[in-house]
């Protein structure tokens, strides 16, 4: 894995920078919301915090199924896009979009709840994304590398077999799927507990 990362370091840097740009863009989007949109989102956040504070059950099997389904669809789409050269721009678009989603979520919470919003984001968004984001970056780089290998193999005078490279590509994607399984478990069964810990601190601020 270390050799693979060293070999594809430029791709890792490019994908990582693209993701960071998405985070920045998502955070800036918060400032573009109209007062009505901010008020509507504030009501949803306040309602969620109130539900947590009242002790209603969160997470569980439904959350786990939704989470793992979303993660697997995301990396599955990246894997499919990596099988063709024309999929490269869409892989980059997905990485940027993921950054936008994370940046917007964290940016809104911090903008709405100040340091308490940062705390809320720390327990509700950050933990699983510490696994999800690296997994998506690895899948994206692997997909880009395989797509570029297809280009080289197509135009090379002596075409080699694609099978070993395809197996490595698919194996890495499956390994990342296993990590995302763990992230979904954490999101479904641990994040709700952590959110309940900080919910009392957020009631007055969210109100």
């Amino acid at each position: 894995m270390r050799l693979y990362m060293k070999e594809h370091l430029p791709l890792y840097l490019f994908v990582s920078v693209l993701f960071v740009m998405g985070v920045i863009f998502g955070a800036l989007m918060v400032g573009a919301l109209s007062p009505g949109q901010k008020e509507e989102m504030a009501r949803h956040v306040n309602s969620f915090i109130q539900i947590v504070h009242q002790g209603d059950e969160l997470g569980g099997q439904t959350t786990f199924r939704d989470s793992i389904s979303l993660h697997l669809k995301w990396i599955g789409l990246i894997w499919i896009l990596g099988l063709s050269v024309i999929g490269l721009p869409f892989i980059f678009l997905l990485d940027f979009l993921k950054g936008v989603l994370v940046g917007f979520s964290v940016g809104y919470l911090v903008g709405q709840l100040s340091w308490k919003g940062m705390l809320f984001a720390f327990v509700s968004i950050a933990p699983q994304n510490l696994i999800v984001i690296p997994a998506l970056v690895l899948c994206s780089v692997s997909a880009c590398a395989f797509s570029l290998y297809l280009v080289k193999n197509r135009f090379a005078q002596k075409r080699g077999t694609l099978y070993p490279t395809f197996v490595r590509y698919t194996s890495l994607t499956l390994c990342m799927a296993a990590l995302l399984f763990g992230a979904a478990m954490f999101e479904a069964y641990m994040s709700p507990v952590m959110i309940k810990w900080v919910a009392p601190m957020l009631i007055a601020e969210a109100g």
Side-chain angles (χ1 to χ4, degrees):
M1 178 62 70
R2 185 179 301 176
L3 180 62
Y4 182 87
M5 294 181 68
K6 184 177 180 180
E7 182 181 354
H8 298 98
L9 183 60
L11 277 176
Y12 279 106
L13 292 176
F14 181 77
V15 171
S16 299
V17 169
L18 197 62
F19 174 79
V20 172
M21 290 175 60
V23 171
I24 295 172
F25 183 79
L28 293 175
M29 283 178 62
V30 176
L33 294 174
S34 67
Q37 290 173 322
K38 290 182 179 180
E39 184 178 349
E40 180 66 21
M41 292 183 66
R43 282 198 296 267
H44 286 297
V45 172
N46 185 39
S47 176
F48 176 76
I49 294 173
Q50 291 287 350
I51 290 173
V52 173
H53 184 60
Q54 292 168 7
D56 291 1
E57 288 297 324
L58 297 175
Q61 293 185 359
T62 301
T63 300
F64 172 74
R65 286 195 299 267
D66 292 343
S67 179
I68 192 62
S69 175
L70 177 62
H71 295 329
L72 292 182
K73 287 177 182 177
W74 201 285
I75 65 168
L77 181 57
I78 291 175
W79 181 81
I80 292 173
L81 291 172
L83 298 177
S84 64
V85 179
I86 60 173
L88 272 174
F90 297 100
I91 295 172
F92 297 145
L93 180 62
L94 286 175
D95 294 325
F96 181 80
L97 179 59
K98 181 62 177 179
V100 170
L101 294 174
V102 172
F104 182 85
S105 301
V106 175
Y108 176 78
L109 289 174
V110 173
Q112 184 69 25
L113 303 175
S114 186
W115 68 269
K116 294 183 179 180
M118 179 65 74
L119 177 62
F120 189 40
F122 182 76
V123 299
S124 63
I125 298 175
Q128 58 266 25
N129 275 297
L130 290 176
I131 301 174
V132 172
I133 293 171
L136 292 180
V137 170
L138 280 167
C139 286
S140 298
V141 170
S142 179
C144 293
F146 185 77
S147 184
L148 293 173
Y149 180 81
L150 290 177
V151 176
K152 294 178 182 179
N153 190 71
R154 177 173 296 180
F155 292 102
Q157 293 181 351
K158 294 182 179 180
R159 298 183 180 181
T161 177
L162 293 174
Y163 183 74
T165 306
F166 174 77
V167 169
R168 286 195 297 269
Y169 170 46
T170 304
S171 298
L172 188 143
T173 302
L174 292 175
C175 288
M176 294 305 103
L179 285 179
L180 293 176
F181 182 89
M185 289 284 290
F186 187 95
E187 185 176 357
Y189 297 103
M190 290 302 298
S191 285
V193 176
M194 298 171 67
I195 293 172
K196 287 182 180 180
W197 289 345
V198 302
M201 301 174 57
L202 304 175
I203 294 297
E205 186 75 19

